[in-house]
Amino acid sequence: MLFGRTDRKPIVIPPKQVKEWKYSVCNYCSTGCSIELGLDDKGAVITSRGHAGADVNRGKLCIKGLQEHELFTSAGRGTEPMIRNRYQEEFQNVSWDAALDYTAANIKRIQQKYGRDSFAIVSTGQLLTEEFYTLGKLTRGCIGTNNYDGNTTLCMASAVSGYKRSFGLDGPPGCYDDFEHTHCMMAFGSNLPEQHPVIYWRLKEAREKRKFPLIVIDPRVTMFAQFADIHLPITPGTDVVLLNAMLYVIFRENLQDKGYIAAHTNNYEELYQNVQDYDPVKAQHICGIDEDTIRQVARLYAKAPAAMCIWTMGINQSTHGSDGVCNINNLNLCTGNIGKPGGTSLSITGQCNAMGTREWSSCSGLPGYRTLENEQHRQEIADFWGIDPEFFPKSRGLAQTDIFPAIESGAIKGMWLVATNPMTSMANTGRIRKMMEKLDFLVVQDCYVDVETNQFSHAYFPAAVWAEKEGCHTNTERRVNLTRNAVKPLGNSKPDFWIFNEMAKRFPNGQKIRFPQKPEEVFEEMKVLSKGADRTLDISGMTYDKIEAARGIQWPFREGTEGLKGEPRLYGDGKFPTGNGRANLIVVKFKDNNEKPDQEFPFWLNSGRLVEHFHTRTRTGKIANGNKFSPTPFMEMNPDAAKKLGFVHQQYVRVVSKRGDAVVMVQLTQRVPPNMVFIPFHYHDCVNRLTLGLLDPYSRQPAFKQCCVKIEHVDQTEAAQLNLERRKY
Ligand SMILES: Nc1nc2c(c(=O)[nH]1)N[C@H]1C(S)=C(S)[C@@H](COP(=O)(O)OP(=O)(O)OC[C@H]3O[C@@H](n4cnc5c(=O)[nH]c(N)nc54)[C@H](O)[C@@H]3O)O[C@H]1N2
Ligand SMILES: Nc1nc2c(c(=O)[nH]1)N[C@H]1C(S)=C(S)[C@@H](COP(=O)(O)OP(=O)(O)OC[C@H]3O[C@@H](n4cnc5c(=O)[nH]c(N)nc54)[C@H](O)[C@@H]3O)O[C@H]1N2
Ligand code: SF4
Ligand SMILES: [Mo]
């Protein structure tokens, strides 16, 4: 009874009398699938389908996209603004004006008493780009706090930082079409078939046409690893060592692209010297991949006419995240594999619009990849918005992972959380809870009133979701795509865009800066700011209608461009925005700084995702069958390790780290090695009670995937009871 479905319902295929189809883009992962929403004659969304004419997904959707139309009326949606004086009191439903006034007054009170930066704003990768730009205007231009960041620090920050260090600018240089041209692919720390199923389908199709080697680097035998030609079960956190050892072999055997290196890179000598310390004979003992395999893979990669790397969280979420990205770029620069068809570094982005926030939200700088450190950029934006440039800080403030500790130390007193759920998604949630409790004032803006962070809030703003709104997303391959407004926001919930506009009216600069009433007008503003021959992120040739007609357009797409096709790749001309036009080869050294298994805590704790769930399950936990595939928090464990400790399949256990404990059900599988366990991070009060989250020094991204634990027996009846209690969906 405890495992599996509790309320069985017969499968009923609903009659689907669609009157109209509305164009949209999936709001989960960054693959960027085009979805058509089917509306009945009363205007209700009753079904969805993948858009057959979209280049990205060509009619396909994964399980999450197929069920996404059920979101609009799913359980737990927030429909009324609410406020309270203390976080343990009862909430009161109030009007939007009252909730906004109350929040604005608290922001001002805190800023006046403790300084502007004492109020923090933490956002997300899941709003529409026009909303990000508007939030940036509000935060940078009106509220004026420098402690403004997004959950992309938990996600893509290392990729951003690595791109900037290597190429001078953020932005993935490759695209999905590269699969059609490559002769060798290395995939680092990505479980593509589960986490980006439609990108995987594109890759699979390309490999069926033209067999090329796929090398998957992952400590687990993931689904992706099972489909690979070569699987490298790397020791956690040591990808940089493998890459340095590959470069050692490539230089030793003269396989590098000398012409490309000479014409288009800086710092080759230093890189060459550094990798001399990473002879595979030595490196194999650190990264766990034997010396012959390292040589074989290095030769395969360097000799391929075009070779590419993709990567996701196995690289980014590491104390060497930014360095790992730079080292992937080093490999590609040294083999002449940047900006050519099939030869590239392509970060697979996480959230649907993590790219949009990087481009336009002003989280780490100013709109359109401008920086706070650059005086000219500050002036340009101040002039465009009509405010004094002195209102802007002259360098970036804290990242999300530094904002939370600043609550602990007393520097930050108030916070606005927009579309993120740190009580479940940040490392060491026991500590995060204390920080949340310490806040003088917290406002939570989320589509779901039952989101865990709301337990600690003083004000709650019910947000509209997905196609209740209108605007753009940018996907992994820089493709800007459009969601048309299909339905009205549920109840009294409002688009995030509207909420930001209304909040702006409550600050003096909100009178000076223009806040357009329609997302499309905001897009026009962004186009103006994106224009310029020296700007890579140029969207000035796009319009909503063109985007919809093309089913998404890749940037750069400059004003006057004929047709509907943007640039598929960046840096094809070998010119990089670094100052002297050359890419930087970055010296990467391995520091052995992770918490590692020892006698007391003998297992590596790894964490990640499942295909049927998205993040903290505020959405997928409540719709269709998603929750029925994995109803119980579980842990993958190797059968040999379990046998030694006397655990059997489907037994509950307590997992303990130096931070806390979590009760999970054991799933015995050879997917993980005997010294590792893996727990999906979707469940509240689960894996992030255990994680350490050491930070990458450049990107401030947490190493969610490396720490150590021990495993203990628990009373089965008690554990089952606990599990029932926390199953709210
Ligand atoms: N179904 C579903 N899809 C999603 C999401 C979701 O929640 N659900 N979330 C989206 C988001 S925001 C993101 S960021 C992406 C994440 O997409 P992925 O990064 O593909 O997913 P994860 O499962 O987090 O991690 C990938 C792999 O990294 C491996 N790994 C751990 N440590 C190391 C290491 O040291 N080196 C290497 N090479 N690998 C390591 C893990 O074993 C794991 O299999 O997925 C996106 N897509
Ligand atoms: N242990 C471990 N922890 C991890 C990871 C891991 O691999 N392991 N991965 C990390 C990564 S890569 C990520 S990206 C983070 C994700 O962490 P979070 O961002 O905290 O997770 P989500 O559940 O996506 O939270 C998004 C919230 O936004 C709400 N929402 C959705 N759409 C809208 C909207 O349009 N408007 C508003 N206002 N709200 C909306 C949702 O209901 C949800 O509550 O987790 C990180 N945490
Ligand atoms: S692959 Fe990603 S974008 Fe496509 S339907 Fe699935 S979750 Fe949505
Ligand atoms: Mo992510």
Side-chain angles (χ1 to χ4, degrees):
M1 268 315 283
L2 289 174
F3 193 73
R5 296 199 282 169
T6 44
D7 62 342
R8 283 168 187 275
K9 292 189 193 121
I11 294 169
V12 180
I13 298 173
K16 287 181 179 166
Q17 281 143 348
V18 173
K19 188 146 173 275
E20 188 192 359
W21 294 97
K22 286 264 188 169
Y23 185 75
S24 166
V25 188
C26 179
N27 205 42
Y28 289 121
C29 90
S30 76
T31 301
C33 296
S34 294
I35 299 185
E36 287 183 299
L37 288 170
L39 278 70
D40 68 9
D41 51 4
K42 294 185 200 73
V45 178
I46 50 169
T47 188
S48 59
R49 64 183 184 195
H51 197 301
D55 185 50
V56 167
N57 54 313
R58 303 171 190 175
K60 288 213 164 26
L61 294 174
C62 81
I63 179 175
K64 292 181 296 308
L66 283 169
Q67 302 173 342
E68 202 167 352
H69 60 279
E70 295 186 17
L71 266 185
F72 302 111
T73 50
S74 55
R77 285 287 309 273
T79 54
E80 294 297 332
M82 305 190 305
I83 60 171
R84 59 183 165 186
N85 288 323
R86 291 189 45 240
Y87 82 85
Q88 278 149 328
E89 278 173 13
E90 284 280 298
F91 267 123
Q92 263 186 304
N93 288 353
V94 291
S95 68
W96 270 104
D97 269 336
L100 287 157
D101 285 344
Y102 180 66
T103 302
N106 273 292
I107 297 175
K108 288 177 190 168
R109 173 183 62 82
I110 288 173
Q111 287 191 315
Q112 270 156 19
K113 191 159 173 201
Y114 304 103
R116 265 181 16 185
D117 293 343
S118 63
F119 189 83
I121 298 179
V122 175
S123 118
T124 181
Q126 296 170 47
L127 301 183
L128 298 157
T129 312
E130 294 79 353
E131 296 178 326
F132 281 133
Y133 173 70
T134 306
L135 175 60
K137 245 185 197 175
L138 171 65
T139 307
R140 293 280 178 216
C142 302
I143 298 177
T145 173
N146 199 13
N147 290 324
Y148 166 44
D149 196 32
N151 67 2
T152 39
T153 291
L154 313 181
C155 182
M156 297 312 292
S158 296
V160 174
S161 152
Y163 281 140
K164 285 186 182 163
R165 289 165 72 202
S166 297
F167 305 142
L169 190 74
D170 182 23
C175 59
Y176 307 153
D177 185 57
D178 283 315
F179 306 156
E180 300 292 334
H181 305 279
T182 198
H183 293 265
C184 180
M185 177 186 281
M186 291 186 82
F188 291 87
S190 153
N191 187 12
L192 209 62
E194 288 206 61
Q195 268 63 89
H196 301 86
V198 173
I199 304 185
Y200 175 69
W201 168 74
R202 291 278 303 264
L203 172 66
K204 182 167 163 273
E205 220 183 52
R207 286 180 77 224
E208 276 163 9
K209 279 187 252 168
R210 249 174 0 90
K211 186 77 185 133
F212 56 85
L214 169 67
I215 303 152
V216 170
I217 301 96
D218 195 307
R220 278 166 81 215
V221 190
T222 57
M223 202 183 285
F224 204 16
Q226 292 176 51
F227 295 141
D229 299 289
I230 302 176
H231 172 217
L232 308 182
I234 193 150
T235 300
T238 65
D239 298 74
V240 292
V241 176
L242 170 68
L243 282 153
N244 273 347
M246 284 176 67
L247 284 168
Y248 176 99
V249 176
I250 289 168
F251 296 155
R252 178 57 65 100
E253 302 187 8
N254 253 319
L255 299 173
Q256 68 272 45
D257 186 336
K258 295 203 181 93
Y260 192 90
I261 293 170
H264 302 299
T265 67
N266 297 315
N267 214 28
Y268 176 65
E269 259 315 302
E270 288 81 351
L271 181 80
Y272 182 92
Q273 285 309 327
N274 182 57
V275 303
Q276 299 315 309
D277 292 340
Y278 295 84
D279 183 335
V281 177
K282 198 168 121 192
Q284 65 182 346
H285 299 296
I286 307 172
C287 70
I289 309 300
D290 70 87
E291 53 171 307
D292 283 334
T293 304
I294 297 177
R295 288 193 197 96
Q296 182 204 1
V297 167
R299 289 174 193 140
L300 202 57
Y301 199 86
K303 287 180 184 171
M308 67 185 288
C309 293
I310 61 169
W311 75 91
T312 320
M313 290 308 125
I315 288 286
N316 289 355
Q317 289 173 348
S318 148
T319 53
H320 300 90
S322 173
D323 275 353
V325 174
C326 290
N327 230 2
I328 288 173
N329 295 337
N330 287 340
L331 173 69
N332 287 323
L333 289 165
C334 289
T335 52
N337 278 309
I338 291 292
K340 78 178 184 200
T344 196
S345 288
L346 180 63
S347 54
I348 304 293
T349 311
Q351 303 162 84
C352 55
N353 203 18
M355 279 294 291
T357 192
R358 283 147 71 175
E359 295 158 7
W360 292 105
S361 74
S362 310
C363 267
S364 61
L366 289 167
Y369 284 154
R370 288 175 176 82
T371 64
L372 286 160
E373 291 75 9
N374 183 319
E375 192 186 341
Q376 194 195 328
H377 288 175
R378 292 197 305 270
Q379 188 73 51
E380 271 169 24
I381 297 298
D383 290 349
F384 192 78
W385 288 352
I387 57 168
D388 182 350
E390 286 305 310
F391 196 74
F392 295 141
K394 295 187 176 58
S395 63
R396 179 189 176 170
L398 299 177
Q400 175 176 353
T401 43
D402 294 312
I403 286 177
F404 279 81
I407 302 171
E408 214 167 39
S409 65
I412 285 175
K413 305 284 187 191
M415 182 148 74
W416 185 354
L417 287 175
V418 185
T420 186
N421 185 13
M423 266 313 297
T424 305
S425 61
M426 284 190 76
N428 195 357
T429 47
R431 190 172 163 206
I432 299 291
R433 173 181 290 272
K434 293 217 175 81
M435 297 168 186
M436 303 288 275
E437 284 172 345
K438 204 174 162 197
L439 283 169
D440 260 19
F441 183 79
L442 172 68
V443 48
V444 166
Q445 177 169 329
D446 202 287
C447 315
Y448 290 90
V449 68
D450 58 5
V451 60
E452 282 88 17
T453 42
N454 213 14
Q455 291 164 29
F456 304 91
S457 72
H458 303 79
Y460 167 71
F461 294 164
V465 74
W466 191 32
E468 291 175 348
K469 312 188 283 184
E470 182 154 290
C472 293
H473 285 158
T474 309
N475 79 349
T476 287
E477 52 169 4
R478 289 172 284 102
R479 191 180 296 273
V480 178
N481 214 337
L482 181 69
T483 287
R484 290 278 186 199
N485 176 219
V487 273
K488 281 212 294 279
L490 186 72
N492 199 11
S493 69
K494 295 283 185 192
D496 298 271
F497 176 66
W498 182 90
I499 301 171
F500 301 144
N501 273 355
E502 290 298 310
M503 187 59 92
K505 292 180 184 159
R506 287 159 169 86
F507 288 82
N509 278 0
Q511 317 299 324
K512 293 188 195 158
I513 305 176
R514 201 174 86 86
F515 280 82
Q517 293 306 301
K518 281 195 176 147
E520 196 163 0
E521 290 172 48
V522 175
F523 193 76
E524 290 302 317
E525 260 190 37
M526 289 156 41
K527 278 165 64 174
V528 176
L529 286 175
S530 80
K531 213 183 299 188
D534 59 336
R535 303 203 72 81
T536 319
L537 167 54
D538 188 332
I539 56 169
S540 60
M542 298 183 193
T543 63
Y544 275 16
D545 287 340
K546 278 190 184 180
I547 295 170
E548 182 174 345
R551 324 282 177 231
I553 301 177
Q554 285 171 286
W555 62 255
F557 187 76
R558 301 180 200 280
E559 200 171 31
T561 309
E562 302 260 321
L564 291 173
K565 210 167 157 9
E567 296 284 328
R569 298 176 185 86
L570 302 180
Y571 315 130
D573 56 2
K575 290 203 189 92
F576 297 87
T578 47
N580 73 356
R582 291 157 169 270
N584 301 314
L585 294 169
I586 308 282
V587 165
V588 170
K589 292 185 188 296
F590 176 66
K591 283 186 216 78
D592 194 1
N593 56 359
N594 274 317
E595 182 182 80
K596 291 200 299 189
D598 56 20
Q599 272 199 319
E600 195 186 349
F601 298 94
F603 293 94
W604 282 108
L605 172 64
N606 186 355
S607 66
R609 297 159 161 76
L610 304 169
V611 65
E612 65 270 20
H613 279 304
F614 193 79
H615 293 176
T616 68
R617 293 191 308 156
T618 55
R619 288 184 275 172
T620 49
K622 293 157 185 158
I623 53 179
N625 287 319
N627 210 34
K628 294 174 180 164
F629 297 132
S630 45
T632 310
F634 71 93
M635 172 179 85
E636 293 178 355
M637 186 177 196
N638 186 286
D640 297 337
K643 202 171 166 193
K644 273 194 199 150
L645 294 174
F647 298 131
V648 296
H649 192 54
Q650 294 192 2
Q651 181 176 349
Y652 287 103
V653 293
R654 184 193 308 282
V655 189
V656 185
S657 78
K658 288 184 190 159
R659 272 72 53 194
D661 65 343
V663 174
V664 292
M665 185 183 269
V666 167
Q667 187 192 92
L668 294 186
T669 169
Q670 298 281 359
R671 200 182 291 285
V672 285
N675 67 344
M676 178 182 287
V677 291
F678 175 88
I679 304 179
F681 95 96
H682 304 296
Y683 306 96
H684 179 60
D685 257 344
C686 194
V687 73
N688 279 331
R689 287 165 63 104
L690 307 165
T691 46
L692 168 59
L694 279 179
L695 300 180
D696 176 278
Y698 297 94
S699 67
R700 312 305 286 156
Q701 182 158 348
F704 279 116
K705 297 195 172 352
Q706 286 100 32
C707 69
C708 60
V709 292
K710 62 183 169 188
I711 299 154
E712 296 173 350
H713 287 266
V714 285
D715 182 288
Q716 296 301 294
T717 320
E718 259 176 50
Q721 190 55 37
L722 172 79
N723 196 43
L724 263 187
E725 278 163 22
R726 66 182 178 185
R727 257 173 75 181
K728 13 172 222 190
Y729 307 133

